[in-house]
Amino acid sequence: MTALVGVLGPTEVCAGDADAIPVTARRLRTLITSLVLAHPYPVGIEAIVSDVWPDAPPQQPTGAVHTLISRLRALVGSERVDSTPGGYRLIGTEGTPVSDLATAEAIARDGTDADATGALDLWRGQPGTGLPPGDLRDRLTIRADRCRGVLRERSWNHRLVAEPNRVAAEVAAHREARGPLDEQLAALEMRAHVAAGNPNRALTVFARLRAALADELGADPGPEAVAAHAAALRAQTPVAADPGFATQMPAPPRNSFVARVDILADMRRALADSGVVCVLGEGGIGKTRLVAEFIAAQSVPHIYVDLTTARGVEDVTAAVTAALRPTTVPDLAGGTPGPMQRPGQLLTQSAPRGVVIVLDACEQVVDSASELATEVLARRHDLQILATTRVPLDLVDQHVIDVGPLSEADAAQLFSDRVRAAGRRDSIAAHEVDELCRRLDGSPLALELAAAQLRHLTLGDLNERLASTLSVLSVRGDGRHSSLTNVLASSWELLASDARLALAALARFPGEFRLADALAFPMVTLDNVAILRAHSLLRVAEDQQGRAQRRGISEGRAQRRGGFEGQAQRRGVSEGRAQHTCYRLSDTVRDFVRERTREQPNLEECLVAAHHRWARTQVDAALTDLRAGRVADAADRLDHSSDAILSLLDGSASQDPALLPVVSWRTMRTGGHDATLRLCRAVARQPAESDRDVAGLLCATIHLTIAGQFRDAARARLRLREAMSVRPLSGIDGLIGDLLVARPATVARTLATAARSADAGVVAAAELVRAELAERAAAPRFAHRCALRASVAADVAMHPWFAANARSRLGRICSQVGDHEAAIVHFERSATTFDDIGLAQDACRVRIYQAGASVSVDPRRAEDLLASCLRAAGTTARPFIATAHMTRAQLLVDDDPALAVTAIADALRIAGPPADGHSVHMHAVAVALLDAAGQSTHARLAADDLEAALTQRRLDPALTDLPALGAAAAAVVKARGLRDDDPYAAAARAIHYRRDFPVMHLAAGPSMSRERAVAQLIG
């Protein structure tokens, strides 16, 4: 692949298929080099002048640069030099990279070792030839030399097997030029000598390196050189072929094994680079099985030391003695080793060269195992340690391989295999398997024990019993893995009392939690968090994909939660906010700890009280942020803590009004919570004795009113009126309270008064409400003025949530009257603001509206917006998702009517019957789209059903959205083929029927009064 420009030697250019052309002009060479070094970013005129004329800039620098750029364009082609506001840059093509330097750096970064060997041919001489001495030439030389060094080392690695002697000679010459202290090159030379069958030369290189490091730096060789030295020792004295010198690790079971290829590969690489490899993970996660599979697959010579029952140094010595065959244990005192013999000494004196010492289940004797490993490695560099443990060894230079739970797919596969092995041949529902795998958090032992229970239980019964106890996961026998409770209990016993107390506190969190939230509990300290993490009981929250698969949310909420909250957390916090460290407990650990704490009522009561105090603190802080306009901070706080706060609703705090704002947040984010109405009714019966209680009473009144619980809502309003007489509310809280207790006839006056407030936030809130009421009352001009005033007031108050909603309202109003281009601008600004404050669901909702407005302006953009929003929504069934499906039907109706009809059905399934403004609008659009799709009979029937539904609901107070009624009338006109002067068409125009969808457009014609129009439609 020929590059556009060559700088790895004399400067040259290659235009098209012609041969390379040398660049003879010095300033042109300098310009080309400057653009190459900056690629892909543009170079400004000042920077070009500084590089090309470093000593004496021209009198007309801009003109001089333009002249030079013109010469360059004539040389390489005008389309290859791009002019941007930031300056000039070179542009390559798919088959022509910008420069040979860019090609070399790409191969050094992403290519294979074989590619690196070929890339060295790109050097045609000394980079910078012909450039004047100075900064530019130095920059080119440094980058080229750095890249060539990486490529050269990768080329040596590629040729190591085929040409070991030649590689060793080249590396030795390069080391001589660079100096004797380069450990990476020394290790490479040692590996080359070993590959060539000359381990003694490798040992000589190591000895000289160690002496040079000691003399010059007073340091020892690093891990890479030590590993190469160990490989040389193993090559010098082959390992005994007979495995009978010591106890071997039991062969892995013959049952199916879910191959965790990545971990096995990590184990192989770690043993090649490190003397101690620690396979770390919680009990039952499959550490021993992984090591057994690795040993069997790789035929690794080893000594197996079983520390399962060891509890002290004497037990470790006994385990090592038992592992070593009697014929290999030296007779140091005229007989077998005495009880005081150190285990490390036994191994170093008895183990053949190059074996791997497997220390299984080190967690009970971490100190002794660490001392053993230290002594072995100090005495014998040719030996290696492979340890399985729940707690890391106390070593600085160990390589830790963290074994996590199985993925959902692997967990389901393992469970299904074990169920078949247990004799079950009947089919099992996939959703029940998925539920079990989530509940057991991908633990291989837990899944195998669960499969054993299906001999006498159905999977549904097993899931039901697991909801209350883990003791069901056990089999006959007294082995350490016969019961999941026994495995967890052994981890519990390893903890000190303060760490157990901290774990009990953290088990109050039903899912992920931030470090700051954990430290809010007085019994949790940073040291305890580190201890629990070291004991593999506490996990750092996973990356984006893993978190999406295994988020620890409470049962019941997982099915209702859409993709938006997870999306907001996966994308992190909005720009300007810091990332937080998050942790989680596995479900099995959490359930076990909760069972233990329930056995101690005093401890349980203490933990609930601490949890309740933390929850109230979180709510207070979130409300303070919201009132101050810090919506992003409040959203971040509530998204991370709402699960843990709402878990209190199942306990003694189930009637605490302070929790209601969080319930309101969950309702807005995911559609509701099971305990909402129960908590609201309880709050409505309680006196409001504090500001927290009044805030909760506000939320309760809103929820009960929206839910149509008018008797309870009236009781809540009475309580609220009494509370406000004693504790007057101010600001936005005061406006909400005044609206809730106001009589219908005084609502407009209350809003008008608030719109004149000196508090810009109150003005924004009042004008937003006025805009919505005016829009629903078919007064689009007044609604537009109110929304504009709300937008201005929100900007003055620096309240991004109000600003985003005001812009969204402006977009809705413009879209309603058919001004789609203006609507697109407003929607784009609104969605961007929602994204900035971390409200992904609201941003998605607005972008769906933007897609609807883009159908007639930019259909391709509309398709892209819909695709991304529907992908983010997942299985969420919120009203705006119905709008998305209907917009998709509008896009498809001309090209694929059948698929459009399917999209219409999806939209109506979510929207439900025509019971409110949104659902009426969706049914109206469906009628018009069916007619446009050629389904005239279905369209007329749907129009008849819609007309009948509106007539039956003429007294329903929820049906007050006049533009939606107008849309219904317009749909009837289209489906029945009525004339433009028909009363239905006139009524639709009179109440400003919604024209969000192009299919709804009616031709100009007569109108009528608003009152007559309403009577015509529902009277």
Side-chain angles (χ1 to χ4, degrees), residues 467-489:
S468 57
T469 179
L470 292 174
S471 60
V472 67
L473 295 182
S474 61
V475 294
R476 292 180 178 274
D478 55 359
R480 61 171 173 151
H481 288 159
S482 61
S483 165
L484 182 63
T485 302
N486 290 345
V487 172
L488 295 173

Side-chain angles (χ1 to χ4, degrees), residues 8 27 80 108 136 211 243 268 419 474 543 612 621 639 742 748 793 796 798 804 815 863 887 920 944 955 1012:
L8 299 179
R27 287 176 179 167
R80 297 289 176 254
L136 185 68
R268 183 174 62 254
V419 168
S474 61
D543 60 11
H612 198 181
D639 279 343
V796 172
M798 292 186 293
S815 188
E863 291 176 1
T887 305
V920 168
D944 293 342
L955 299 178
R1012 184 182 169 193

Side-chain angles (χ1 to χ4, degrees), residues 427-727:
S427 61
I428 299 176
H431 72 276
E432 290 186 335
V433 175
D434 292 341
E435 179 184 353
L436 179 75
C437 293
R438 282 193 299 269
R439 186 185 295 277
L440 299 182
D441 215 51
S443 167
L445 173 62
L447 291 167
E448 291 183 341
L449 293 174
Q453 308 310 309
L454 296 193
R455 296 190 185 98
H456 56 277
L457 290 175
T458 66
L459 187 51
D461 291 337
L462 179 60
N463 277 323
E464 185 176 347
R465 296 192 65 183
L466 281 173
S468 57
T469 179
L470 292 174
S471 60
V472 67
L473 295 182
S474 61
V475 294
R476 292 180 178 274
D478 55 359
R480 61 171 173 151
H481 288 159
S482 61
S483 165
L484 182 63
T485 302
N486 290 345
V487 172
L488 295 173
S490 64
S491 295
W492 175 265
E493 296 299 329
L494 286 173
L495 299 173
S497 58
D498 57 339
R500 293 182 193 174
L501 188 59
L503 183 59
L506 298 181
R508 304 298 306 179
F509 292 99
E512 292 180 9
F513 53 88
R514 295 185 296 187
L515 179 61
D517 293 331
L519 296 178
F521 286 75
M523 60 284 294
V524 179
T525 65
L526 194 57
D527 287 343
N528 285 332
V529 169
I531 290 171
L532 296 176
R533 175 73 183 121
H535 280 243
S536 304
L537 294 171
L538 190 62
R539 301 175 184 170
V540 175
E542 296 167 321
D543 60 11
Q544 296 180 5
Q545 182 178 358
R547 187 181 299 183
Q549 292 176 345
R550 293 191 292 267
R551 288 194 64 224
I553 55 178
S554 57
E555 188 65 28
R557 295 188 196 114
Q559 304 303 323
R560 291 188 300 276
R561 177 171 298 187
F564 299 107
E565 188 172 349
Q567 177 187 344
Q569 293 185 357
R570 288 192 298 275
R571 67 186 283 273
V573 292
S574 62
E575 185 176 355
R577 283 186 283 158
Q579 296 274 1
H580 298 282
T581 301
C582 291
Y583 299 91
R584 65 183 299 267
L585 299 175
S586 69
D587 290 345
T588 50
V589 170
R590 185 186 307 108
D591 292 344
F592 170 82
V593 174
R594 287 182 176 179
E595 286 183 14
R596 285 298 178 100
T597 55
R598 280 195 293 268
E599 296 170 0
Q600 306 177 56
N602 292 336
L603 174 60
E604 178 76 7
E605 183 178 351
C606 174
L607 292 173
V608 170
H611 189 181
H612 198 181
R613 288 192 298 272
W614 168 82
R616 282 178 164 242
T617 301
Q618 293 296 307
V619 174
D620 289 345
L623 289 176
T624 299
D625 288 336
L626 286 173
R627 288 164 181 152
R630 296 188 295 270
V631 181
D633 294 333
D636 183 42
R637 183 184 301 276
L638 290 173
D639 279 343
H640 278 92
S641 61
S642 58
D643 273 345
I645 294 174
L646 293 177
S647 67
L648 285 166
L649 294 178
D650 300 326
S652 60
S654 59
Q655 297 184 2
D656 185 359
L659 301 183
L660 259 174
V662 184
V663 175
S664 301
W665 178 262
R666 174 55 56 81
T667 300
M668 183 179 72
R669 298 289 263 173
T670 63
H673 186 275
D674 290 342
T676 301
L677 293 181
R678 171 174 59 82
L679 179 57
C680 289
R681 293 190 184 101
V683 170
R685 295 185 177 91
Q686 298 176 15
E689 299 177 349
S690 67
D691 292 340
R692 280 199 194 103
D693 295 344
V694 177
L697 196 52
L698 281 174
C699 296
T701 307
I702 295 171
H703 280 294
L704 292 170
T705 302
I706 293 174
Q709 305 293 316
F710 300 117
R711 184 184 298 275
D712 292 318
R715 183 182 294 111
R717 278 195 295 273
L718 179 61
R719 293 285 189 192
L720 181 60
R721 187 179 290 110
E722 294 172 353
M724 291 174 62
S725 65
V726 177
R727 299 176 180 276

Side-chain angles (χ1 to χ4, degrees), residues 274-549:
S274 178
V276 180
V277 178
C278 180
V279 182
L280 180 69
E282 62 188 67
I285 207 67
K287 304 181 294 294
T288 301
R289 177 67 183 268
L290 280 168
V291 171
E293 293 286 349
F294 174 77
I295 292 291
Q298 302 293 324
S299 301
V300 178
H302 67 281
I303 299 174
Y304 177 66
V305 182
D306 186 0
L307 300 177
T308 304
T309 60
R311 295 298 182 269
V313 64
E314 295 84 0
D315 296 333
V316 175
T317 303
V320 171
T321 303
L324 295 170
R325 296 296 172 90
T327 56
T328 64
V329 178
D331 187 4
L332 300 177
T336 58
M340 299 306 294
Q341 186 85 35
R342 291 196 309 276
Q345 185 178 2
L346 282 173
L347 286 169
T348 55
Q349 293 175 343
S350 306
R353 283 189 177 276
V355 301
V356 174
I357 300 169
V358 179
L359 304 179
D360 192 20
C362 299
E363 56 269 2
Q364 298 284 355
V365 285
V366 170
D367 291 341
S368 299
S370 301
E371 292 175 3
L372 183 154
T374 301
E375 183 171 3
V376 166
L377 296 181
R379 292 172 175 265
R380 295 277 300 275
H381 291 297
D382 61 304
L383 302 180
Q384 292 177 287
I385 304 292
L386 178 58
T388 70
T389 178
R390 304 178 197 179
V391 184
L393 301 181
D394 189 16
L395 299 173
V396 175
D397 56 348
Q398 64 183 323
H399 186 117
V400 176
I401 298 177
D402 202 342
V403 181
L406 295 173
S407 67
E408 287 187 0
D410 287 344
Q413 181 63 49
L414 175 64
F415 180 74
S416 300
D417 290 346
R418 296 299 183 266
V419 168
R420 285 193 294 270
R424 287 287 295 268
R425 294 293 182 265
D426 53 320
S427 61
I428 299 176
H431 72 276
E432 290 186 335
V433 175
D434 292 341
E435 179 184 353
L436 179 75
C437 293
R438 282 193 299 269
R439 186 185 295 277
L440 299 182
D441 215 51
S443 167
L445 173 62
L447 291 167
E448 291 183 341
L449 293 174
Q453 308 310 309
L454 296 193
R455 296 190 185 98
H456 56 277
L457 290 175
T458 66
L459 187 51
D461 291 337
L462 179 60
N463 277 323
E464 185 176 347
R465 296 192 65 183
L466 281 173
S468 57
T469 179
L470 292 174
S471 60
V472 67
L473 295 182
S474 61
V475 294
R476 292 180 178 274
D478 55 359
R480 61 171 173 151
H481 288 159
S482 61
S483 165
L484 182 63
T485 302
N486 290 345
V487 172
L488 295 173
S490 64
S491 295
W492 175 265
E493 296 299 329
L494 286 173
L495 299 173
S497 58
D498 57 339
R500 293 182 193 174
L501 188 59
L503 183 59
L506 298 181
R508 304 298 306 179
F509 292 99
E512 292 180 9
F513 53 88
R514 295 185 296 187
L515 179 61
D517 293 331
L519 296 178
F521 286 75
M523 60 284 294
V524 179
T525 65
L526 194 57
D527 287 343
N528 285 332
V529 169
I531 290 171
L532 296 176
R533 175 73 183 121
H535 280 243
S536 304
L537 294 171
L538 190 62
R539 301 175 184 170
V540 175
E542 296 167 321
D543 60 11
Q544 296 180 5
Q545 182 178 358
R547 187 181 299 183
Q549 292 176 345

Side-chain angles (χ1 to χ4, degrees), residues 175 180 203-213:
R175 282 190 65 219
L203 296 176
T204 301
V205 172
F206 182 79
R208 292 175 179 173
L209 173 68
R210 181 166 54 188
L213 288 172

Side-chain angles (χ1 to χ4, degrees), residues 601-921:
N602 292 336
L603 174 60
E604 178 76 7
E605 183 178 351
C606 174
L607 292 173
V608 170
H611 189 181
H612 198 181
R613 288 192 298 272
W614 168 82
R616 282 178 164 242
T617 301
Q618 293 296 307
V619 174
D620 289 345
L623 289 176
T624 299
D625 288 336
L626 286 173
R627 288 164 181 152
R630 296 188 295 270
V631 181
D633 294 333
D636 183 42
R637 183 184 301 276
L638 290 173
D639 279 343
H640 278 92
S641 61
S642 58
D643 273 345
I645 294 174
L646 293 177
S647 67
L648 285 166
L649 294 178
D650 300 326
S652 60
S654 59
Q655 297 184 2
D656 185 359
L659 301 183
L660 259 174
V662 184
V663 175
S664 301
W665 178 262
R666 174 55 56 81
T667 300
M668 183 179 72
R669 298 289 263 173
T670 63
H673 186 275
D674 290 342
T676 301
L677 293 181
R678 171 174 59 82
L679 179 57
C680 289
R681 293 190 184 101
V683 170
R685 295 185 177 91
Q686 298 176 15
E689 299 177 349
S690 67
D691 292 340
R692 280 199 194 103
D693 295 344
V694 177
L697 196 52
L698 281 174
C699 296
T701 307
I702 295 171
H703 280 294
L704 292 170
T705 302
I706 293 174
Q709 305 293 316
F710 300 117
R711 184 184 298 275
D712 292 318
R715 183 182 294 111
R717 278 195 295 273
L718 179 61
R719 293 285 189 192
L720 181 60
R721 187 179 290 110
E722 294 172 353
M724 291 174 62
S725 65
V726 177
R727 299 176 180 276
L729 300 176
S730 61
I732 297 173
D733 291 351
L735 173 60
I736 296 173
D738 291 340
L739 291 174
L740 289 175
V741 302
R743 295 188 303 275
T746 63
V747 169
R749 186 188 312 153
T750 301
L751 288 172
T753 302
R756 295 190 296 271
S757 170
D759 186 334
V762 173
V763 174
E767 293 290 10
L768 273 174
V769 177
R770 295 176 84 189
E772 180 171 2
L773 294 177
E775 180 186 349
R776 293 165 64 89
R781 291 183 180 178
F782 182 69
H784 192 270
R785 287 198 299 271
C786 292
L788 275 176
R789 288 196 289 264
S791 178
V792 173
D795 289 340
V796 172
M798 292 186 293
H799 200 300
W801 187 81
F802 281 149
N805 277 284
R807 289 159 187 158
S808 174
R809 180 60 56 186
L810 283 168
R812 295 272 290 166
I813 295 167
C814 291
S815 188
Q816 173 190 333
V817 299
D819 188 359
H820 294 133
E821 292 185 355
I824 290 171
V825 174
H826 291 307
F827 286 140
E828 179 63 32
R829 294 181 63 194
S830 173
T832 300
T833 305
F834 276 129
D835 268 336
D836 288 343
I837 59 179
L839 299 183
Q841 177 174 327
D842 297 274
C844 182
R845 170 177 55 83
V846 174
R847 287 202 167 94
I848 287 174
Y849 297 153
Q850 182 184 350
S854 301
V855 167
S856 58
V857 179
D858 187 353
R860 181 66 62 90
R861 174 63 172 159
E863 291 176 1
D864 293 342
L865 287 170
L866 286 177
S868 62
C869 290
L870 289 174
R871 185 168 54 250
T875 58
T876 303
R878 306 301 296 275
F880 57 86
I881 301 302
T883 305
H885 287 296
M886 202 65 78
T887 305
R888 184 166 173 265
Q890 172 75 82
L891 287 167
L892 293 169
V893 70
D894 293 329
D895 299 330
D896 194 341
L899 198 55
V901 171
T902 301
I904 292 170
D906 291 338
L908 295 184
R909 175 178 51 80
I910 297 173
D916 57 16
H918 178 265
S919 56
V920 168
H921 184 215

